[in-house]
Amino acid sequence: MYFGQPLRRREDQRFLTGAGNYVDDMTLPGMAFAAFVRSPHAHATIGNITTARAAAMKGVLKVLTAADWEAAGLGELVCVHPMPFSDGRPMNEALRPLFAKDRVRHVGDVVACVIAETRDQAQDAAEAVDVDYDPLPTVTDVSRSLDESAPVLHEEFGSNLVFEIERGDKEATGAAFAAAHHVTEMTLVSQRVAGSPMEPRSCLSSYEAATGQYTIWATSQTPHYMRRWLAKYLLFEPEHRIRVIAPDVGGGFGLKVHVCEMATIVWASNLVRRPVKWTAGRSETFTTDAQARDHHSKARMAFDQSGKILAIEVDTIAGLGAYLSQFAPSIPGNSYPQTVTGLYTTPAAWLRVRAAYTNTVPVDAYRGSGRPEATWVNERLLENGAREMGMDVVEIRKRNLIPAASFPYVTPFGRAYDSGDPPELFAKLLAIADYPALREEQLRLRAEGKLMGIGLACFLDKSGTGPSRNLASRGGLHGGYESAIVRAHSDGKVTVFVGSHSHGQGHATTFSQIAADALGLTYEDIELREGDTDQIPFGNGTWGSRSASVGGAAIVEAAGRVIEKATKLAAHVLECAVEDIDYHDGRFALQGTDRGVGFTEIADIAYHGSNLPLDRSIEPGLEATAFYDPIDTNDPQAMHLVTVMVDGESGLVTLRDYFTSDDCGRIINPMIIEGQVHGGLAQGIGQALMEHVIYDDDNNGQLLTGSFLDYAMPRASDMPGNLGLVFQEIPCPSNALGVKGGSETGTIGPPAAIGNAVVDALWHMGVRHVAQPITPQRVWRAIQKAKSET
């Protein structure tokens, strides 16, 4: 049994020895290079674009603009998750253009593309493209984006509003607040962040004129959807003539779902009849890669005298950037509402979300999308409410956590959480942290003048995908299923082809563990293939923590069909009925006898073809294909406890201990899931303490954090010295494996847990809130403000 075993990741040896196979490592004969001309203005009309000087430069093969794209009759990007207004009106959809035509709307908006013999020649020529701009007023602050005085990005809509939705029962919520013993109100901001995976986006496209075939190597989490979008919406080429290969990908986190500039690279390879490569520079990623979060919320929570939550009310403006990216509307419109009440029994709730355009890079999915924002709101309200009422922060959580007997639990917004035991999960967290001892230590240190804070966060994730039919009923333009081929070779070894893609999750290990158990074979006999649309059946790719719960289930189904066929063949070989065959550990045995045949021998017979039934009831070969469409998403749950030390003189926050308690269903590989949690914590800690995409809001919208000199990323020294993890395995009821998503909870909890810890350290001094990112300067100012008010 390999399921549950902490096997070492197969991929690590080649990654750690520099043997990874990345797009930018690849070179093809005659390869040319691309560079993009990007707007230096956040908002401006475009006059003339003069390309003659650039086109005449040494090595330049082509200069492309919006006029060329339109003249070729090409299409536009697609938003696969539309979000209508609550009254049924369609959202105000402005898709991200491949080339800006009459107006640019954020710094980095693409205006032209240069193809040249070398990368340097392409970049030099890009600087020689002359563009006449007439700057316009900008708005980058999401809290001001819907003001009547705000500059309008897309004049056809009359405002910057993308959509407005309401969820819950406003009347019942209002009544609960009117009857409440205590009400806590806060303005809570989730700042804009940049995902910043180790490998920038990259694309290499080769076009064969003789066959009309494109071969594309791309940093893609969704190779089949890249092919589909190129064929159906952008280039209008037959899908079978586009092959997308996603080799090793150095981190994705949602950012590598998008096509954008890659469509231009594919088109250019046809125009110049040569392979064309583009790899984004690091500063370029800050002006073009989808960013995340950017919520401004006014929220309040009502309590009765015992501390029970009566209601929550949230009014959020969510920034989506200058245009709509592929999945953008679903983040504030779907993921956020489904998780904003967290793991607490909240009888009444009302939520309004208004999504808005701003003169910034488009927002899209980034690890945890929507759930860190929701947890930040819910947990900060609960924490401050407890303190304002003089209640213990642990006790108030115990009184409000959803009991195990209430699952499946339906929230006020209609989401049904599938399974869980939050009180037990909380008990595990408090035990691993030794919470009483931490409180005793906090009192001792405070007596010495040292500021220690303890922060908690209890929350859930929303993982996997629902049935394809349900997605389509809401306007979704992608499926929820996943695919797998399990192919046994004539020597009994097996290759598994899956429609997902690994960009750090360890699929080569965990999927092989799943297949080995399902087939009754050894782990070493299994090999995994992903990322090549010519080898693999159509899959929806990797995002939303869906790979194991959907892709893993597809592997189990395909493996079951292989064993079913092999059992029939074994019964033929052993001259017995199928029901008389027992299969275990690679051997088909005739019940009650010592006769049997091994899987390897059956595979050899299947391919040799000489000993198959004469009635042709069994065909040669031994493989099966499965498309698994899930019946529901799943609901991972987690709880975090962090201790921080705050320097009262400088405001510096140091993380000392970090404890997590996770329910991600049955665990395939403990070592890998622990790594997922650790990696998620690093990103969540970055958001909590330092990461912040900043635009100059003084009417010019310039990006002020356009490199790692200005955009702070967490380092090893920023991680807590003591990490403790514990797990609770409550099987998910909606897939055969019982697994839930496990890769995003680490990112969801830190902003709320760390925010609560810092306030805990400073509450006695009069500090009630510190905005994200919780930098030393902000902490110091909060302390000084509290001192001045006492």
Side-chain angles (χ1 to χ4, degrees):
M1 184 75 175
Y2 294 99
F3 201 106
Q5 298 303 311
L7 303 185
R8 289 183 178 273
R9 298 198 331 167
R10 286 176 161 177
E11 310 94 311
D12 287 350
Q13 179 65 26
R14 60 189 176 87
F15 287 154
L16 294 173
T17 57
N21 181 32
Y22 299 94
V23 174
D24 198 50
D25 295 330
M26 298 177 183
T27 301
L28 295 178
M31 187 170 69
F33 294 83
F36 288 92
V37 180
R38 300 185 180 277
S39 170
H41 300 281
H43 200 191
T45 56
I46 300 174
N48 291 327
I49 302 176
T50 306
T51 62
R53 188 160 62 97
M57 292 178 69
K58 182 180 179 181
V60 172
L61 303 173
K62 206 79 173 176
V63 182
L64 302 169
T65 67
D68 299 298
W69 185 268
E70 285 190 352
L74 302 178
E76 59 184 358
L77 292 166
V78 62
C79 180
V80 300
H81 260 296
M83 182 58 57
F85 284 74
S86 284
D87 61 11
R89 285 177 294 149
M91 66 181 183
N92 295 324
E93 183 178 74
L95 298 172
R96 189 173 190 173
L98 274 296
F99 295 93
K101 182 183 176 185
D102 301 315
R103 183 183 293 196
V104 292
R105 293 178 173 87
H106 68 87
V107 172
D109 219 349
V110 173
V111 177
C113 178
V114 176
I115 313 298
E117 298 278 359
T118 70
R119 181 178 282 115
D120 289 343
Q121 288 172 340
Q123 291 173 342
D124 288 345
E127 294 180 5
V129 174
D130 297 315
V131 186
D132 293 332
Y133 296 102
D134 186 6
L136 297 169
T138 64
V139 58
T140 59
D141 181 352
V142 68
S143 69
R144 297 194 303 107
S145 60
L146 299 179
D147 293 353
E148 288 187 8
S149 60
V152 176
L153 275 70
H154 302 280
E155 294 175 342
E156 64 270 30
F157 304 135
S159 77
N160 292 320
L161 187 65
V162 181
F163 63 79
E164 179 175 345
I165 61 169
E166 293 188 24
R167 297 287 186 265
D169 188 328
K170 189 173 185 179
E171 185 176 335
T173 302
F177 274 97
H181 167 70
H182 179 78
V183 173
T184 294
E185 298 189 37
M186 301 185 74
T187 297
L188 295 157
V189 174
S190 285
Q191 80 277 20
R192 179 176 282 252
V193 298
S196 306
M198 286 193 295
E199 181 194 20
R201 287 187 301 123
S202 184
C203 179
L204 169 60
S205 177
S206 176
Y207 176 74
E208 295 181 19
T211 62
Q213 179 79 25
Y214 295 89
T215 302
I216 305 155
W217 293 264
T219 51
S220 177
Q221 299 174 219
T222 54
H224 284 96
Y225 270 102
M226 181 176 180
R227 183 183 70 177
R228 175 173 167 80
W229 294 335
L230 287 169
K232 183 177 177 64
Y233 299 108
L234 292 162
L235 303 183
F236 307 129
E237 295 277 4
E239 197 166 339
H240 68 274
R241 290 185 181 168
I242 299 175
R243 179 184 185 184
V244 177
I245 303 170
D248 292 329
V249 174
F253 315 123
L255 280 71
K256 289 176 180 168
V257 169
H258 314 296
V259 178
C260 302
E261 295 91 343
M262 295 183 185
T264 301
I265 304 306
V266 177
W267 177 46
S269 69
N270 183 330
L271 296 178
V272 302
R273 293 295 200 268
R274 292 171 58 172
V276 178
K277 180 195 282 188
W278 168 73
T279 300
R282 183 56 68 180
S283 289
E284 192 175 15
T285 66
F286 280 102
T287 63
T288 189
D289 281 9
Q291 295 172 353
R293 317 303 188 228
D294 204 11
H295 279 205
H296 185 277
S297 299
K298 293 181 179 179
R300 59 181 187 151
M301 185 174 281
F303 303 88
D304 70 10
Q305 197 162 3
S306 70
K308 287 282 287 181
I309 298 171
L310 298 176
I312 186 173
E313 182 178 279
V314 184
D315 193 353
T316 295
I317 304 176
L320 295 186
Y323 311 101
L324 295 188
S325 190
Q326 273 106 326
F327 287 83
S330 69
I331 299 165
N334 184 35
S335 298
Y336 180 63
Q338 290 195 26
T339 54
V340 78
T341 56
L343 291 175
Y344 304 121
T345 54
T346 306
W350 179 79
L351 169 72
R352 178 173 73 158
V353 177
R354 290 171 290 168
Y357 292 113
T358 58
N359 294 113
T360 57
V361 174
V363 160
D364 211 297
Y366 168 56
R367 197 172 191 175
S369 57
R371 285 86 85 189
E373 301 94 306
T375 302
W376 172 246
V377 169
N378 194 40
E379 277 293 323
R380 287 295 295 120
L381 286 172
L382 180 74
E383 184 88 2
N384 270 29
R387 296 185 186 283
E388 290 164 2
M389 291 186 289
M391 292 190 63
D392 179 75
V393 295
V394 165
E395 182 58 32
I396 198 171
R397 286 178 169 86
K398 288 181 177 179
R399 293 181 186 183
N400 285 285
L401 285 170
I402 303 166
S406 295
F407 285 86
Y409 178 80
V410 180
T411 75
F413 299 134
R415 171 66 186 157
Y417 301 162
D418 57 6
S419 61
D421 187 348
E424 177 61 23
L425 196 62
F426 195 43
K428 285 178 175 285
L429 178 72
L430 298 177
I432 191 176
D434 195 356
Y435 178 74
L438 290 177
R439 285 298 182 195
E440 291 176 5
E441 181 186 12
Q442 183 184 39
L443 291 175
R444 290 197 307 271
L445 291 175
R446 188 170 294 175
E448 300 171 10
K450 298 177 182 177
L451 301 173
M452 173 182 168
I454 303 169
L456 293 158
C458 303
F459 56 94
L460 83 159
D461 192 4
K462 183 183 77 69
S463 297
T465 38
S468 299
R469 185 182 298 275
N470 288 4
L471 292 170
S473 71
R474 300 196 299 269
L477 299 180
H478 67 85
Y481 62 86
E482 200 45 79
S483 65
I485 295 174
V486 172
R487 178 178 297 159
H489 303 286
S490 64
D491 61 356
K493 311 302 182 185
V494 174
T495 301
V496 178
F497 302 84
V498 292
S500 57
H501 188 275
S502 179
H503 36 277
Q505 296 91 335
H507 290 179
T509 304
T510 53
F511 281 2
S512 295
Q513 290 178 258
I514 291 170
D517 282 347
L519 292 167
L521 302 177
T522 66
Y523 170 76
E524 291 74 19
D525 287 341
I526 313 295
E527 180 182 72
L528 183 75
R529 297 280 180 88
E530 295 180 296
D532 186 336
T533 59
D534 271 15
Q535 289 189 1
I536 294 162
F538 197 107
N540 283 280
T542 297
W543 46 272
S545 299
R546 64 187 299 277
S547 294
S549 63
V550 187
I555 292 171
V556 170
E557 284 203 6
R561 294 172 192 176
V562 166
I563 294 302
E564 182 181 1
K565 179 177 180 178
T567 302
K568 291 178 181 177
L569 184 53
H572 167 71
V573 171
L574 295 172
E575 299 178 328
C576 67
V578 170
E579 53 268 25
D580 292 334
I581 295 290
D582 282 334
Y583 178 69
H584 187 68
D585 289 341
R587 181 172 175 79
F588 300 89
L590 178 58
Q591 297 174 19
T593 75
D594 59 358
R595 296 178 62 210
V597 60
F599 183 90
T600 299
E601 186 178 349
I602 289 296
D604 182 73
I605 292 169
Y607 283 98
H608 187 225
S610 62
N611 191 15
L612 302 180
L614 293 176
D615 63 5
R616 299 177 181 265
S617 58
I618 300 177
E619 296 177 345
L622 191 56
E623 70 174 64
T625 301
F627 287 83
Y628 174 74
D629 205 1
I631 62 174
D632 200 358
T633 55
N634 57 82
D635 301 287
Q637 296 154 31
M639 300 180 183
H640 289 187
L641 188 155
V642 59
T643 66
V644 303
M645 302 302 298
V646 180
D647 187 321
E649 297 299 318
S650 68
L652 179 67
V653 175
T654 302
L655 305 188
R656 196 190 70 177
D657 311 295
Y658 209 114
F659 303 98
T660 67
S661 178
D662 272 83
D663 173 10
C664 49
R666 294 183 64 220
I667 294 173
I668 302 167
N669 186 313
M671 185 184 300
I672 286 179
I673 198 63
E674 288 174 10
Q676 291 275 27
V677 173
H678 288 166
L681 287 176
Q683 289 177 299
I685 288 166
Q687 178 181 344
L689 295 179
M690 62 197 71
E691 294 189 47
H692 191 187
V693 174
I694 301 173
Y695 288 89
D696 183 355
D697 201 43
D698 190 19
N699 212 33
N700 64 31
Q702 285 298 311
L703 177 64
L704 302 181
T705 50
S707 75
F708 287 140
L709 291 174
D710 307 296
Y711 186 85
M713 291 282 284
R715 300 167 177 80
S717 58
D718 296 310
M719 294 294 285
N722 179 33
L723 281 169
L725 286 72
V726 66
F727 295 91
Q728 171 182 275
E729 296 188 54
I730 296 181
C732 170
S734 63
N735 66 75
L737 292 170
V739 299
K740 305 173 185 176
S743 64
E744 301 188 72
T745 58
T747 311
I748 295 168
I754 294 169
N756 286 339
V758 171
V759 171
D760 179 56
L762 304 177
W763 186 271
H764 68 288
M765 300 172 66
V767 173
R768 299 296 177 259
H769 182 63
V770 181
Q772 292 186 83
I774 305 170
T775 60
Q777 183 187 57
R778 288 184 170 179
V779 174
W780 182 85
R781 284 182 173 176
I783 293 172
Q784 300 311 307
K785 183 175 183 290
K787 286 180 178 178
S788 69
E789 293 175 351
T790 56

